[in-house]
Amino acid sequence: MRTEIYPIVGMHCASCKTLIERIVRKLPGVESVSVNYAAEKMSITFDEAKTTLLQIKAAVKSAGSYTLVTDDKGETVLASPNEAHKISSGSSHDHASMMKDDEYKKLKRTILWVAFGAVVFLVLMVLMFTGNDVMEMFGYITLSAAPIRLSVLHVLEFLLATPIIFIGGKRFFTSAFAALKSRSANMDTLIALGTLTAWSYSTVVTFIPSLFMDITGEVAVFFEAAVFITAFILLGRLLEARAKGSANDAIQKLMHLQVKEATVLRDGKEMRIPLQDVQINDLIIVKPGEKIPVDGIITEGFTAVDEAMITGESLPVEKTVGDSVIGATINTNGNITFRATRVGSETVLATIIKMVEEAQNSQAPIQKLVDQISAVFVPIVIIVALIFFFFWVFAAPRLGLLQPNVNTLQLAIYIATTVLIIACPCALGLATPTAIIVGTGKAAEKGILIRNAEALELLKKVRILVFDKTGTITRGKPAVSAFTVIPETRIPESIRTLFSTESFEQIVLALSSAVEGKSEHPLSEAIVTYVVLQGKIDAVPGLPIADFTSISGRGVRATIKSVPILIGNNRLMDENGIKLSENLITAHADTTASLSYVAINGVAVAVFSIKDTIRDEAREMIQRLHQKNIATVMISGDNIKTAKAIASEVGIDSVIAEVLPGDKAREVEKLQSDKNGNRVYIAFVGDGINDAPALATADIGIAMGTGTDIAISTGSVILVGGNLLKINEAIHLSQRTVSIIKQNLAWAFGYNVLSIPIAAGILYPAFGILLSPAIASAAMAFSSISVVANSLRLKLYSS
């Protein structure tokens, strides 16, 4: 199965989305398809063995005047930011954007001459409203071949309106016809029906006026209504396209962060090469003020790097040899040389762009109801328009609802046309995706990657936030704070002979360093660092370590010269029947430290006290969560005293301690329902490989961007810089985004609930008020633009 995201050019209404999805979904081998009207992209998963990209393109084309954009070979999408060649080359070529730009310019040219024709009609209307007898001023033509008296004004309006409607509005009719061939209907169906009805009636009235002559001997034409409908809707689409482009500019901003060239050191010489030619392990030189081309590890130099564009952190971060750097960040003040570790589509920037694009093209749960409504909206509107047409022709006269001297057919056509034009599923279709696009883009600017729209919506519902301790609440770089040994313990002679020293302490330290050196656990690394790097003892090479085993959540086990050595927590000691002396138990009173005991040949001989520093922002983050009435829980494999001490220091509400890594997900499941069985939304924050199951189990998995790749790939929200305060920002942004979505939907639903009855003539019997089709078209365009504009307010979000 292949999953791709393709831009689509030519979409102009919410029902376009439904129509394309319905037709493409019928293709063999298509597992899923989702079209985002606001982003103008289609996400599709399909079996290449059963259907080809050319078939998909043909299906999209058959749905209407839509173009699925691919490269010249028809294999990959030039416009898709997750394509490796585009990221690696920094290319600005974007075929979809070019096509959309051409479409925009073409629409702009069409509007200019359509607007000119509309202005001419407006002048004629002003002349009539000022009291001049325009009909008499233009006069009449009497055809000698037939007793027909034609109004010169009406003929002039016909000649002016016809090219505007059928050339300027050609896109409406071609799109409606394509939808009809697919046995469907879209927004253009309503526009085409409305304008065609107004034009057809007016044309007949113009050339055969006797057919519709009312009792006053006068007839009315609706040419100006059809012209203004065409002009207003075209203008609305132009403004909507511009607004959608503004809403969808987050990816373009990210793309423009990338540089096009890099200075590499090859064969001892500096050379400037295109970005796509940079390879892993290349040595790259970056001078002050330059952007870092790709990701890597500094091998020479010291500097401060501005990472705001990636992590959202405002202050530059000091970097020296051994520190990592991220492509597209700015080297502020020092000369550095670094070794490239990730290039092309593997860089942090490329990953961010891919995640943002996927999130913007995803569908929020709230959108499902909207899609169901949009799918049947157009047919329902057509039925409603027909119902009101027949009502005003047949029922209204009998009920005495008409004003004196009214042509019922003329009135019915006027009302039906207005109903067709004013109904607008576009605002409904734009309400959710535009807010999601702006919201996820804004989050990315702040160093918060939200993987999909569902996560953005669910964040608002979170009532309990569960934290892993190590690497999340703490920095994840534990260090030995104290070491205690019981020197009177005897060491087997087989081990003692391996050492030249007689110091019991040094032998224990050497054994601990050698055994823990086989493990990659942070506590093991802390012991090795304490023993070797802190100068306690030189490394002892060649110790015959056998049967090494890492015991999850407990410690490590090995044998040296058939003598068992265990290093780990009290649970490991208990399970192996090793008693801890009072001296070891009371050796370290600091309850925030993890205790790692050393047992040789079944006897506990020493204990390491290991502490992990708490993140500076942890306490403030917890306080802000409490202000939002969100409960906090910490899960840890540490003993209960240590875990409670750390939780108390930062203000966490409750602690679940001594939990094995595999049991974290089970503990999260328990929290997902309260004592009454009610659903509780849980977010889990973690950074390690062992956090992946819990991240996946929680409603929202929040992964620290400084953590492991597995944790990051599992999380639905990623904090790029690992700053815990970003959690509060993510929740707040979710609240704002959902609020905007609800406002948009309220407006879109409210607009149709109020406008359709008014268009149908509900005010006419009592007040003689009818809504003009021209005004209806302006209102329809305004409703879509207002929804996009409201979503754009999210760009003003600060924190």
Side-chain angles (χ1 to χ4, degrees):
M1 302 300 290
R2 174 181 173 186
T3 299
E4 295 287 351
I5 297 176
Y6 298 111
I8 295 179
V9 176
M11 286 202 302
H12 43 262
C13 69
S15 34
C16 298
K17 158 191 165 63
T18 306
L19 180 57
I20 294 172
E21 286 177 345
R22 186 168 63 83
I23 291 176
V24 173
R25 196 175 285 120
K26 291 179 180 178
L27 292 173
V30 173
E31 183 179 271
S32 64
V33 59
S34 174
V35 175
N36 188 314
Y37 168 43
E40 297 180 314
K41 293 176 183 176
M42 179 179 74
S43 177
I44 181 171
T45 300
F46 63 102
D47 186 344
E48 292 181 281
K50 295 182 179 179
T51 191
T52 66
L53 185 54
L54 290 176
Q55 288 175 303
I56 296 172
K57 290 181 71 173
V60 171
K61 188 72 175 177
S62 70
S65 53
Y66 316 118
T67 304
L68 185 142
V69 185
T70 60
D71 67 4
D72 296 335
K73 297 179 182 179
E75 294 176 349
T76 57
V77 183
L78 291 174
S80 183
N82 60 4
E83 293 300 328
H85 73 273
K86 183 155 188 199
I87 298 298
S88 62
S89 65
S91 170
S92 59
H93 178 64
D94 186 334
H95 192 38
S97 292
M98 290 170 63
M99 290 181 67
K100 289 176 184 177
D101 189 51
D102 289 342
E103 185 78 11
Y104 183 85
K105 290 176 181 177
K106 183 179 178 181
L107 180 58
K108 204 171 183 180
R109 290 193 298 268
T110 302
I111 286 174
L112 287 175
W113 70 266
V114 168
F116 175 78
V119 169
V120 174
F121 268 102
L122 185 62
V123 170
L124 294 177
M125 291 174 65
V126 169
L127 288 174
M128 285 189 287
F129 282 127
T130 54
N132 293 301
D133 192 347
V134 179
M135 299 292 284
E136 292 298 329
M137 181 176 68
F138 281 93
Y140 292 87
I141 300 173
T142 301
L143 299 181
S144 57
I148 298 176
R149 188 166 176 257
L150 304 182
S151 165
V152 174
L153 176 62
H154 289 173
V155 173
L156 181 63
E157 287 181 328
F158 167 80
L159 294 174
L160 189 60
T162 301
I164 290 175
I165 295 166
F166 292 102
I167 299 177
K170 178 183 176 182
R171 64 189 64 222
F172 306 142
F173 295 98
T174 55
S175 174
F177 181 68
L180 182 63
K181 287 196 299 182
S182 302
R183 298 179 182 179
S184 185
N186 58 18
M187 188 61 208
D188 284 337
T189 306
L190 300 181
I191 298 168
L193 281 174
T195 52
L196 187 61
T197 300
W199 178 87
S200 301
Y201 173 80
S202 301
T203 300
V204 173
V205 165
T206 297
F207 294 103
I208 315 177
S210 58
L211 287 181
F212 299 104
M213 194 76 69
D214 61 20
I215 59 175
T216 63
E218 298 294 335
V219 290
V221 293
F222 304 141
F223 286 123
E224 76 285 348
V227 167
F228 283 121
I229 288 168
T230 303
F232 281 134
I233 292 176
L234 288 175
L235 178 61
R237 287 188 179 175
L238 186 77
L239 296 175
E240 182 185 307
R242 188 171 181 178
K244 284 198 297 183
S246 180
N248 200 20
D249 64 0
I251 289 179
Q252 292 301 319
K253 285 182 179 179
L254 289 169
M255 290 291 295
H256 292 153
L257 291 176
Q258 186 61 281
V259 298
K260 295 184 179 180
E261 292 182 321
T263 302
V264 300
L265 191 63
R266 289 181 179 172
D267 299 325
K269 295 181 181 179
E270 290 186 21
M271 58 179 65
R272 196 80 173 161
I273 64 173
L275 187 65
Q276 63 264 33
D277 293 340
V278 175
Q279 300 175 4
I280 292 176
N281 291 326
D282 269 345
L283 289 176
I284 301 173
I285 299 170
V286 185
K287 297 175 182 178
E290 291 184 340
K291 280 188 177 181
I292 294 168
V294 296
D295 301 353
I297 303 293
I298 295 177
T299 58
E300 184 180 338
F302 173 84
T303 188
V305 178
D306 181 358
E307 297 181 338
M309 61 287 298
I310 300 295
T311 66
E313 301 295 337
S314 57
L315 296 177
V317 181
E318 291 187 351
K319 302 279 185 177
T320 188
V321 175
D323 290 336
S324 61
V325 289
I326 303 172
T329 57
I330 300 173
N331 176 31
T332 61
N333 56 20
N335 288 291
I336 58 169
T337 301
F338 73 92
R339 187 178 302 278
T341 56
R342 290 191 181 98
V343 299
S345 61
E346 301 301 317
T347 63
V348 170
L349 177 62
T351 303
I352 289 174
I353 290 173
K354 181 179 179 181
M355 285 186 179
V356 172
E357 184 187 35
E358 289 173 349
Q360 291 185 343
N361 210 59
S362 62
Q363 182 171 281
I366 198 172
Q367 180 68 21
K368 294 177 182 177
L369 173 63
V370 176
D371 286 348
Q372 291 172 355
I373 295 172
S374 297
V376 297
F377 191 89
V378 172
I380 288 175
V381 169
I382 294 173
I383 293 170
V384 169
L386 288 172
I387 289 172
F388 281 111
F389 172 81
F390 289 113
F391 172 82
W392 287 103
V393 169
F394 300 108
R398 296 180 181 181
L399 297 174
L401 300 178
L402 300 180
Q403 300 288 331
N405 305 326
V406 169
N407 185 317
T408 55
L409 182 60
Q410 182 175 297
L411 177 67
I413 291 174
Y414 191 89
I415 287 175
T417 300
T418 306
V419 170
L420 288 171
I421 297 302
I422 203 165
C424 182
C426 297
L428 283 174
L430 288 167
T432 300
T434 51
I436 294 296
I437 286 171
V438 180
T440 52
K442 190 66 181 179
E445 288 178 18
K446 291 182 164 292
I448 305 165
L449 295 184
I450 299 176
R451 197 178 291 276
N452 52 59
E454 183 177 9
L456 184 61
E457 184 178 333
L458 287 181
L459 266 171
K460 177 182 180 293
K461 299 181 179 180
V462 169
R463 296 273 58 88
I464 299 177
L465 239 158
V466 184
F467 297 89
D468 171 52
K469 179 179 75 70
T470 305
T472 305
I473 295 297
T474 64
R475 294 190 178 280
K477 293 183 178 180
V480 174
S481 58
F483 172 69
T484 298
V485 68
I486 309 297
E488 61 271 16
T489 308
R490 287 178 57 85
I491 290 182
E493 196 63 28
S494 59
I495 290 182
R496 185 176 290 277
T497 57
L498 297 174
F499 299 90
S500 58
T501 180
E502 293 295 320
S503 169
F504 180 79
E505 178 180 352
Q506 292 212 343
I507 292 175
V508 172
L509 287 170
L511 290 172
S512 300
S513 174
V515 173
E516 291 285 21
K518 298 288 185 180
S519 171
E520 295 181 354
H521 192 279
L523 297 184
S524 299
E525 292 177 4
I527 291 174
V528 173
T529 300
Y530 176 78
V531 174
V532 179
L533 301 182
Q534 296 301 321
K536 293 291 182 181
I537 189 171
D538 292 334
V540 181
L543 285 180
I545 299 173
D547 304 323
F548 175 83
T549 306
S550 178
I551 307 168
S552 181
R554 290 168 174 78
V556 296
R557 174 192 288 121
T559 60
I560 297 178
K561 292 287 187 178
S562 300
V563 176
I565 297 173
L566 280 80
I567 308 174
N569 56 25
N570 58 353
R571 181 180 289 184
L572 180 64
M573 301 296 124
D574 289 342
E575 289 175 353
N576 287 273
I578 298 172
K579 293 184 178 180
L580 300 175
S581 68
E582 192 65 26
N583 290 340
L584 286 180
I585 294 173
T586 60
H588 304 135
D590 187 353
T591 56
T592 63
S594 296
L595 301 181
S596 193
Y597 300 95
V598 181
I600 300 175
N601 203 27
V603 179
V605 299
V607 60
F608 289 94
S609 181
I610 305 172
K611 290 186 65 174
D612 191 359
T613 55
I614 294 173
R615 291 180 182 270
D616 297 334
E617 74 275 13
R619 176 173 287 277
E620 184 181 351
M621 179 266 301
I622 297 296
Q623 289 175 346
R624 292 188 183 182
L625 289 174
H626 288 163
Q627 290 171 2
K628 291 182 171 69
N629 295 320
I630 296 175
T632 54
V633 178
M634 188 177 78
I635 292 182
S636 174
D638 276 345
N639 63 74
I640 188 66
K641 287 184 179 180
T642 301
K644 279 190 173 181
I646 291 176
S648 176
E649 189 172 339
V650 296
I652 289 176
D653 298 322
S654 58
V655 174
I656 303 173
E658 300 180 10
V659 177
L660 295 177
D663 293 335
K664 288 181 179 179
R666 191 176 298 112
E667 294 296 336
V668 169
E669 283 183 358
K670 291 177 183 177
L671 293 169
Q672 286 178 320
S673 56
D674 61 19
K675 59 184 179 181
N676 297 320
N678 298 318
R679 182 76 163 81
V680 179
Y681 285 91
I682 304 291
F684 182 87
V685 189
D687 76 314
I689 293 174
N690 58 8
D691 294 326
L695 286 166
T697 301
D699 299 290
I700 299 290
I702 302 176
M704 305 292 282
T706 52
T708 64
D709 290 342
I710 292 177
I712 291 172
S713 65
T714 309
S716 47
V717 177
I718 297 96
L719 310 180
V720 178
N723 189 329
L724 290 174
L725 291 176
K726 297 295 181 182
I727 296 173
N728 303 86
E729 289 193 39
I731 293 172
H732 192 198
L733 187 57
S734 170
Q735 293 170 339
R736 289 287 300 275
T737 303
V738 173
S739 176
I740 290 289
I741 289 173
K742 289 180 177 178
Q743 291 170 15
N744 288 346
L745 291 175
W747 164 255
F749 278 112
Y751 162 83
N752 283 292
V753 168
L754 292 175
S755 63
I756 291 178
I758 294 174
I762 193 171
L763 301 178
Y764 180 72
F767 306 102
I769 297 175
L770 285 177
L771 190 64
S772 163
I775 294 175
S777 62
M780 191 210 74
F782 173 74
S783 68
S784 297
I785 296 167
S786 63
V787 162
V788 179
N790 191 45
S791 296
L792 288 173
R793 291 195 303 119
L794 281 168
K795 286 194 170 189
L796 303 177
Y797 170 81
S798 56
S799 62

